[in-house]
Amino acid sequence: MNTMLNNPTTQRRRWNIRGQVQGVGFRPYVYRLARESHVTGFVANNNCGVVIEAQGQEDEIVHFIEILKRDIPPLARIDAITQAAIGPVAHEYDFRIANSDVHGTTRAAITPDMAMCPDCRREMFDPANRRFHHALTTCTNCGPRYSIILEVPYDRPATTMADFTMCARCQREYADPAERRFHAQPISCPDCGPQIQLVNSRGEPLDGDPIVQTADMLMNGAIIAIKGIGGFHLAARADDEAAVMRLRQLKQRDAKPFAIMCRSVSDARQFIKLSPEVQGVMESTVAPIILAMRQADAPVAAAVAGNNCRLGVMLPYTPIHHLLFSYLDQDLVALVMTSGNITDEPLAISNSEALKRLGGLCDGFLWHNRPIARSVDDSVLLDMGPGGPPVPIRRSRGMAPSAVALTAGVPVMGLCLGGEMKNTVAVVADSQAVLSQHLGDLHNQSARRQFIQTIDDLCRLYKVRPQFIAHDLHPMYLSAQYATQLAKRFSAPLIAVQHHHAHAAAVLAEHGVVGPVLAFICDGTGLGPDGTAWGCELLCASSETFQRIASLNPLLLPGGDVAARDISRSAFAVLHQTFGADFDQHPLAAQLIKNCDDRQMLKLMMTRNLHCVISSSAGRLFDAVAALLGLCTYNSFEAQAPMALESAAAGAQCPHQCAKLWDFIYDDNGLERLDFRPLIRQLIQQQQNNVPVAMLAAEFQHQFAAGWADIITRKAVETNIHVVALSGGVFANQLLTDDLSHQLQRQGLRVLRHKSVPCNDGGLALGQALVAVTRWNNGLGGRTTLKTECGTCA
């Protein structure tokens, strides 16, 4: 390649490329393509992504850029390209990978951690390969990224691999454009890379091959803490009832289902029903936990998931996982693989931390000495059945961080703090919201520390100094309280976004819609502007504002949030609403609250409205029906009762498909309320007539969907809005979501559902970002505090 300046047709162009282009083999790909295209110049990482300069004849440059955009590496993603013609350079005879340009403001996308690729797996099991059985092998197409990065641009000195000096052979591979590990920052081998070790629960080394000994211990019923990409798992054989029960007791996880890891897809099919589309996601670089309908004869201990109709299943995604399964007996096809923590805490990530926190929970540790920069839990996707891909209900490893374009994008930087439960945060820059990994429930002190660290990490990595801080409207949420501290720190205005408006806006952001739409939001709770607890709301919503146009007939919940756990209280409240003053004389009242004094106390609380919360929550109604049907009386984990209700209804036939068991009433403010008292009476009567619980559970969910389809269809005519957005954690219920969607679609309405962020509170930060940026764009950014907007939806 010899580009001469005296050739008048020589051209030179510069491209700035934004997207997922660092740490994915993009520069080596550009280098090889440039040489094949006979152009000179360079490619380099910078703080915005990648910059390329190419010089040659016009046809060579056109060919180069066309192929570049068409055939990018498997992990790469191009979000934007800008091009400029510049003057040719004299005496340039080749194309090179230049040193990173670290000046300017950071805007480069950070690549999520990815599952082990087939090429690395083949090498690891090839006795002739120098990485044979190397338990931490990786390349440009797989392995840790976000969990090891400390700064950008993504170069080895800016990762937790900085202290591992490459050996001569790794250095040659790193420098050779023909190698798959050309400029692979985590490159290592058994001679120069991190090492694995097996120790007992006190941290004392155990003799023998770590993988072989770990496999032997697991096969004999032991619990082993295994260090992965983003933290530790606790592992036990999934078919051993005693081992799984012991793990439950030690982890203090009474009922919430465990995830399992299967050796292969064919083995996974023994446990769950898999469509080709879901199988493709399971085998992808994300390698998530898939929540799918379980096989009737799944060979799994009862303690893994109880009577739940679904099982959470994933495939091996690290070299350690693959090696471990190669030494397990062939008839042991699945391991429980649950997060390495006490319930509700973040994952343990360092060896010393794991020894302190998990030493009493396991019989040994299989760990390594590659540091983890931040906790990144497994992503969880829900199989919603035929006709669509699985949708995230926990967005983490393999999926975060990643950006969503904002339709109302303006050049403003911001920070969005999400909610209280299933928290995620987001930074806003360049008309995008960059969403964090799942952070958990902020009532836990360790989760709060991780929340604060993640905010600092994202602001540092993206060089974001927020011009606004968006938060939930609820002043008692810890995320909202921390927003006040951040507003002082950055001298930035606060933007309060109502909880259900944020849910609605998250769907709009995913679909690139500004609105207005009819947004039907069903969840556990969120503070309304009127000071009551909302949770089943039909909104006329846009990206800036909303109007509440219908709601669920509210319950009077004794004890407020206590009723979210002790759901017999929610059921008691439903009896009170349905049967009036003498509700406590109903036979079900004594079944729900066995102590007479407790019944009288709760009745007094409700009749006098003492320590009660007015709540239109769909979640509490689902809780109450589960309790009335005898399926569950206490939520030991979030949504336990609604999950039991869905599981009971799975496969049942609804006996009253045509009956309308609901009323419409209006409250004192003229708001239309959907009243399900006729349905409750019918369910209780049928229960007394010994109708199977499965049929009653199915009938309730169908009637709930039909009642709301009725009112949404009518409001669509009244408002002339024919797009409906569905959000909120209740829509993790496949039966309900499909039923309601189909009924609305039959009425000619377009239904928008989540596809890339969770329907639960894990999507709130995205919705807050869209609302905050829209309001900023409309000139509301100068106030010290921006309150939630609730009014006419234009």
Side-chain angles (χ1 to χ4, degrees), residues 33-46:
L33 178 60
R35 293 180 67 86
E36 293 168 4
S37 303
H38 307 294
V39 297
T40 64
F42 69 87
V43 58
N45 281 343
N46 64 14

Side-chain angles (χ1 to χ4, degrees), residues 1-6 10 12 40-41 55 88-96:
M1 294 186 289
N2 189 341
T3 303
M4 300 300 294
L5 277 177
N6 58 9
T10 297
R12 189 177 185 91
T40 64
Q55 183 167 305
V89 173
H91 308 298
E92 183 180 74
Y93 301 103
D94 60 8
F95 194 94
R96 71 192 192 281

Side-chain angles (χ1 to χ4, degrees), residues 198-201 206 213-226 233-240 242-247 250 324 328 332 334-337 361-365:
L198 178 65
V199 302
N200 64 20
S201 61
L206 298 177
Q213 294 303 314
T214 299
D216 184 67
M217 292 174 71
L218 286 168
M219 286 187 290
N220 285 285
I223 298 169
I224 304 296
I226 300 174
H233 285 110
L234 290 168
R237 58 183 302 162
D239 59 354
D240 187 331
V244 178
M245 281 302 301
R246 178 169 167 249
L247 177 56
L250 294 171
L324 190 56
L328 294 175
L332 177 52
L335 296 171
V336 168
M337 198 68 74
L361 279 64
C362 65
D363 301 300
F365 294 87

